[in-house]
Amino acid sequence: MSTGPALGASDKLTFLLSLVPYLMDHESVSVSTVAAHFGVSPERVRDAVNLIAISGIPGETRQYLHGDLFDIHWEEFETNDTIVLTHLVAIDDSPRFSAREAAALIAGLQYLSSLPENADIEAIASLMAKLTRSASATPSQVVVSSTEPGEAIALIKAAVAGGVQIEFGYLSSRGEHEVRHVDPLRIESVDRDWYLRGWCHLRGAVRTFRLDRMSGLRITDLPTDDRIAEALPDTLFQGSDSDLEVVVELPAAAVSLLADFAPQGAGTGPADGPVHRTLRVAHFHGLKRLVAGLAGVVSVVGPPGARWITRDWAAAGAARYDEVVPGEQGE
Amino acid sequence: MSTIPDKPGRVSVEERLFSLVLALIATEIGLTKAEILSTVQGYRQRYAVGGDNASLERQFERDKDDIRELGIPLETVEPPDDPGSNHHLRYRIPKGLYELPADVSFSADELMLLKLAATVWREGSLSGESRRALTKLNSLGVDSTDPVLGYSPTLRVRDASFEPLSKAMDRGQIVAFQYLKPGEGTPRRRRVAPQAVVLHEGRWHLFGTDEDVQATRTFLLSRIVGPVVSVPGATFVPGGAGKGQEALAELDALWRANLAEIAVEPGSDAAVRLSKRQAVEQGRAPGESTVALHYTDLDILADELAGYGPEVLVRSPPALRAAVLARLVRVRDAHADPQAPAGAAPSDRAEEGTR
């Protein structure tokens, strides 16, 4: 299936088609104003204007003669960094949304409307209707169900608004329980899991926390430290030099299930044959949970310690079913 | 009088696409392919009069697709006096369908809300689509304050199948992919007419017609383990605007109907995490170490519960109990090493002590 134009080209074309009607509505506007309005660099605005000014239609002569091209007030542009369109061609108005563009915004609105503080459901519904009418085809059927992230998000937002730290008990994947003080930076969800990213005062570093592993979350009156806000890496998890390497075996087609662990290793066997991949994990205790959750798909090849931990974990889990459940038949 | 100088091979992609859009909007009756290739900026420089233009024609086919992907209604018109003739097909972009409807406008407050909606998507194709939609919105010239960024929850769509599926959905294109069904060990090829993509309970689902059994099925995007490919020549008529909500309603009903009762070890990872998803109590009063969970798919929940190992014990339903036990036994046996005695992992024992 075609992957469409390189991201750059479709974004650039969209910008050109959007910039023209904006410039038509503004008799004279500075490059910096346009850049701020569209949220792009002044350089990108200048590039676009340079291209628009030499573009047009073939025209009757099919020679792209002067009258068939856009034109700008070149002196204003070159000396004052100001854009004045002096001749227009073909386009009069803003383009419609594509089915998927409208769908992306509609799904975003659905998501917002499920959060408690965005209770203006009517405004959101009317916006969705407008987006649907403004699309060139029926918006793609992308639907987001309401989610209940719980009170944690409201508390964290209140802490952000007040510029104070939050405190919570946190059970690490190793099973250790610690009280953390954190400057909240961003809440993200990946699939079904919610994460808080923030500056952890215990570790003195940016850390990612699962919301569902927090307990006793509360707002403190300790101020946050503003200067670390920009230090947020874009990837949720970062590897560490102390990571352990584990080799696992799984069908080649299933490797994508382990994307979180950045599996390494060559493997060009048959599509349905097993392959080996090397994962980097902080400790084996996260691994045993991962492997037990992918029974029949992934198994640990080595090192032996990782195999034993996984086996003991599954064996202990299976042994629980030897107990007789009160009021029910045993296995 | 100035004209654009001919610069062979020096015309950028965006200039060629922009010129094509302008030319097709400006024409009422449409342009033939030959006219486009010989006159439009970016093609004409490479056009060989009376020669072989096969690669240029392929370029035009791709450009046409790319332009349509952006929501620009590029139409094909058959000549009335010569219907069915490929040679005299004309191409145009009707202005009325290209432009935003005249009566649609957005207030500053609405624009702010839309900007916020766009920031929900952190990466992947939905964030690209949102970004282009915002660019188009900005062309309306409405000034709005930027929403406070950073503290709104954001979503990541990691599943690589999301983009090809949503494209196929728009085109009414039947697709095929390898699907690793939860509970099974090897993937199977499925042929599906995609109708909707739904985020439910934090998981992306594909809702569509399984072409091999001619019945509606739901697939987890995270379990689509190979590339999503088009089935050549196989198309369907998209179900229209209601399909997404229909899929959501089905998943919701399923979720509500299924209830599992699970004993959790107090203080464990399972206790902390599962208790946050506790369903409303259903008459019975389980002890504090028991949680009731709704679920949509038994095998998905069984996978998750098996991951918790000894931290959970499924009480009901029996099928879930059996599924979890079977998984644990399978993992245990797959890792049995004759040379290693049971409980030979000392570091693990220490950690288990916290249970």
Side-chain angles (χ1 to χ4, degrees):
Chain A
M1 189 164 292
S2 154
T3 54
L7 190 65
S10 51
D11 278 330
K12 283 177 183 170
L13 177 60
T14 302
F15 184 48
L16 292 169
L17 295 172
S18 302
L19 186 54
V20 169
Y22 176 86
L23 294 176
M24 286 165 52
D25 288 343
H26 296 75
E27 259 176 46
S28 169
V29 61
S30 71
V31 165
S32 59
T33 304
V34 178
H37 180 78
F38 281 91
V40 299
S41 69
E43 201 42 53
R44 194 163 156 205
V45 175
R46 286 185 205 105
D47 286 348
V49 170
N50 272 315
L51 175 52
I52 291 169
I54 59 157
S55 293
I57 57 173
E60 292 203 359
T61 62
R62 302 180 168 187
Q63 293 300 312
Y64 283 95
L65 296 184
H66 186 70
D68 296 321
L69 305 179
F70 285 97
D71 206 0
I72 60 167
H73 197 308
W74 282 101
E75 201 185 316
E76 272 294 290
F77 186 53
E78 279 160 6
T79 38
N80 297 328
D81 214 21
T82 295
I83 311 161
V84 182
L85 270 189
T86 57
H87 193 252
L88 297 168
V89 189
I91 304 179
D92 302 317
D93 226 325
S94 305
R96 292 190 186 214
F97 304 114
S98 73
R100 290 205 306 283
E101 287 165 0
L105 292 184
I106 288 173
L109 287 171
Q110 286 169 342
Y111 183 70
L112 290 181
S113 68
S114 72
L115 302 175
E117 70 277 20
N118 295 298
D120 196 351
I121 304 294
E122 250 174 65
I124 287 180
S126 109
L127 251 182
M128 288 184 192
K130 266 192 206 182
L131 287 170
T132 303
R133 279 209 298 136
S134 309
S136 56
T138 307
S140 314
Q141 293 297 295
V142 177
V143 178
V144 174
S145 72
S146 61
T147 45
E148 286 170 39
E151 305 161 349
I153 287 182
L155 269 173
I156 292 167
K157 282 192 172 180
V160 167
V164 292
Q165 300 175 19
I166 53 172
E167 180 193 287
F168 52 86
Y170 195 70
L171 190 64
S172 74
S173 57
R174 261 182 217 271
E176 292 154 355
H177 192 94
E178 284 171 337
V179 174
R180 306 288 189 111
H181 284 87
V182 171
D183 295 354
L185 296 174
R186 186 189 286 155
I187 301 166
E188 287 188 36
S189 83
V190 179
D191 299 340
R192 65 175 311 135
D193 301 318
W194 290 85
Y195 297 91
L196 166 69
R197 312 187 63 195
W199 180 265
C200 175
H201 289 266
L202 185 67
R203 296 279 183 268
V206 172
R207 282 286 186 269
T208 301
F209 302 95
R210 295 182 62 107
L211 259 55
D212 63 3
R213 281 200 171 120
M214 295 178 180
S215 54
L217 175 66
R218 69 175 195 90
I219 299 177
T220 70
D221 48 16
L222 304 166
T224 56
D225 192 345
D226 285 338
R227 74 193 152 75
I228 42 95
E230 69 273 12
L232 194 60
D234 203 52
T235 48
L236 264 183
F237 301 102
Q238 285 79 44
S240 143
D241 289 344
S242 60
D243 282 351
L244 305 166
E245 292 198 341
V246 178
V247 177
V248 294
E249 181 176 287
L250 72 170
V255 170
S256 63
L257 295 181
L258 302 179
D260 275 353
F261 297 83
Q264 302 288 312
T268 51
D272 51 352
V275 295
H276 286 190
R277 285 290 184 275
T278 302
L279 309 182
R280 296 171 64 84
V281 296
H283 44 77
F284 294 153
H285 304 295
L287 178 80
K288 71 189 179 193
R289 294 169 185 274
L290 172 81
V291 174
L294 289 166
V297 180
V298 178
S299 62
V300 181
V301 175
R307 277 182 68 83
W308 301 339
I309 283 179
T310 305
R311 181 202 57 197
D312 289 355
W313 184 246
R320 293 210 53 185
Y321 290 85
D322 298 338
E323 303 164 18
V324 177
V325 181
E328 285 179 32
Q329 296 284 317
E331 280 302 315
Chain B
M1 237 188 232
S2 64
T3 60
I4 300 177
D6 288 357
K7 304 172 291 181
R10 299 286 302 276
V11 178
S12 65
V13 181
E14 62 267 24
E15 182 175 358
R16 184 180 72 238
L17 294 175
F18 186 49
S19 301
L20 180 57
V21 171
L22 293 175
L24 295 182
I25 289 180
T27 172
E28 285 273 337
I29 59 161
L31 300 175
T32 65
K33 195 190 287 181
E35 284 170 333
I36 290 165
L37 300 187
S38 61
T39 64
V40 171
Q41 177 73 357
Y43 298 100
R44 62 188 181 126
Q45 285 84 352
R46 290 157 55 194
Y47 184 72
V49 182
D52 175 21
N53 290 292
S55 84
L56 201 55
E57 288 191 21
R58 285 196 298 276
Q59 178 75 68
F60 172 65
E61 295 301 323
R62 285 196 298 272
D63 289 350
K64 240 171 32 177
D65 287 345
D66 291 350
I67 283 172
R68 286 181 176 139
E69 291 295 339
L70 293 175
I72 298 168
L74 197 162
E75 280 187 358
T76 310
V77 190
E78 285 192 355
D81 51 336
D82 190 11
S85 155
N86 257 342
H87 218 69
H88 295 106
L89 283 181
R90 290 180 169 273
Y91 301 92
R92 63 170 188 179
I93 297 171
K95 223 172 180 175
L97 297 177
Y98 167 84
E99 293 171 347
L100 271 185
D103 59 334
V104 169
S105 63
F106 295 91
S107 70
D109 281 351
E110 287 179 325
L111 207 59
M112 197 183 84
L113 201 52
L114 289 171
K115 284 184 182 175
L116 198 60
T119 62
V120 162
W121 311 111
R122 283 286 303 158
E123 58 192 20
S125 69
L126 280 176
S127 82
E129 305 291 355
S130 301
R131 186 175 58 239
R132 286 186 283 281
L134 281 189
T135 302
K136 291 179 179 176
L137 277 168
N138 279 326
S139 76
L140 298 170
V142 179
D143 285 311
S144 78
T145 47
D146 281 338
V148 183
L149 295 181
Y151 310 117
S152 266
T154 61
L155 289 171
R156 287 175 190 251
V157 184
R158 284 181 309 182
D159 302 308
S161 52
F162 186 93
E163 191 177 1
L165 285 175
S166 57
K167 279 187 179 175
M169 213 156 64
D170 293 345
R171 296 175 185 161
Q173 170 70 53
I174 291 171
V175 293
F177 49 78
Q178 292 288 329
Y179 188 68
L180 182 56
K181 193 180 172 198
E184 293 180 3
T186 47
R188 226 163 16 99
R189 185 172 188 266
R190 305 296 191 95
R191 289 191 310 136
V192 178
Q195 302 276 6
V197 181
V198 180
L199 181 67
H200 182 261
E201 285 293 299
R203 291 191 172 93
W204 286 100
H205 299 75
L206 166 67
F207 182 78
T209 309
D210 185 323
E211 291 293 302
D212 296 318
V213 294
Q214 279 303 314
T216 301
R217 290 283 184 271
T218 303
F219 304 88
L220 275 175
L221 262 61
S222 61
R223 290 293 183 137
I224 294 176
V225 292
V228 174
V229 297
S230 303
V231 178
T235 58
F236 68 102
V237 181
K243 279 290 169 191
Q245 291 301 335
E246 191 186 311
L248 193 56
E250 266 186 38
L251 286 168
D252 262 339
L254 204 59
W255 183 81
R256 267 194 300 274
N258 291 324
L259 193 66
E261 215 184 294
I262 296 148
V264 294
E265 281 293 306
S268 68
D269 191 41
V272 173
R273 291 169 64 181
L274 295 179
S275 61
K276 302 222 162 126
R277 280 156 50 193
Q278 174 82 267
V280 180
E281 302 303 334
Q282 309 267 318
R284 247 174 107 174
E288 59 177 45
S289 60
T290 302
V291 294
L293 293 184
H294 285 297
Y295 61 95
T296 46
D297 186 297
L298 186 138
D299 284 309
I300 296 168
L301 183 61
D303 275 354
E304 182 185 358
L305 293 177
Y308 288 118
E311 294 177 354
V312 298
L313 174 65
V314 179
R315 296 202 183 279
S316 70
L320 180 65
R321 225 178 121 81
V324 172
L325 176 58
R327 283 162 167 75
L328 290 167
V329 166
R330 195 166 182 181
V331 172
R332 180 192 68 195
D333 295 349
H335 295 85
D337 284 325
Q339 68 268 34
S347 66
D348 192 50
R349 304 317 293 179
E351 193 251 0
E352 303 295 307
T354 61
R355 290 207 329 260

